[in-house]
Amino acid sequence: MKSLFPYVAETRGVVVRVSVSYLAEQSEPARGRWFWAYHIRIENEGDQTVQLLTRHWVITDARGARHSVEGEGVIGEQPMIAPGASFDYVSGCPLATPSGGMQGTYHMVGADGEGFDVTIPKFALLAPAVGA
């Protein structure tokens, strides 16, 4: 599992795993545009059902420019994740530089009504070297 999802963080029994793929076919380096897809798996190893309500991302490019993104749910959903279950989704991120990184949090609420933030591990966005 670690090789499929090299970036991992756990908060209160909720494990967030991330893998990243550079999408050469959607990137246009000559126009200053690089694009990645990221696959996220959220696993509930806790003892109560949790619901993902909102997301907060901080995206940083190679120049150090930071862009903050907040919104409800992920890919249009606010998934309920039962103990022992997981939720997967894939999304994408364009950058104006050939490298950067992303990190963030999901705000969740447990079946007990208590809200808490779950860490999304920092992960690198790296385009392959030209000619590699």
Side-chain angles (χ1 to χ4, degrees):
M1 177 88 70
K2 181 156 174 48
S3 60
L4 290 176
F5 295 95
Y7 306 97
V8 182
E10 180 178 354
T11 309
R12 290 179 55 168
V14 177
V15 179
V16 179
R17 300 182 189 275
V18 185
S19 67
V20 184
S21 302
Y22 174 68
L23 300 182
E25 65 278 6
Q26 292 187 32
S27 298
E28 298 178 276
R31 295 184 177 196
R33 178 181 157 86
W34 290 264
F35 198 86
W36 291 264
Y38 54 89
H39 177 175
I40 301 218
R41 173 169 294 157
I42 303 165
E43 301 171 351
N44 184 355
E45 296 181 353
D47 56 7
Q48 66 173 327
T49 296
V50 296
Q51 183 176 18
L52 190 160
L53 298 178
T54 61
R55 69 187 183 282
H56 176 231
W57 286 104
V58 176
I59 304 163
T60 307
D61 71 15
R63 296 183 193 108
R66 292 166 62 94
H67 182 65
S68 184
V69 178
E70 297 187 47
E72 291 191 359
V74 291
I75 61 166
E77 297 184 50
Q78 291 181 313
M80 302 279 287
I81 308 168
S86 63
F87 179 81
D88 284 68
Y89 74 96
V90 175
S91 191
C93 179
L95 281 182
T97 59
S99 65
M102 292 178 66
Q103 63 188 323
T105 55
Y106 296 123
H107 186 71
M108 298 199 173
V109 64
D112 61 5
E114 184 180 346
F116 60 99
D117 288 336
V118 171
T119 299
I120 303 167
K122 184 174 185 176
F123 56 94
L125 302 172
L126 301 170
V130 176

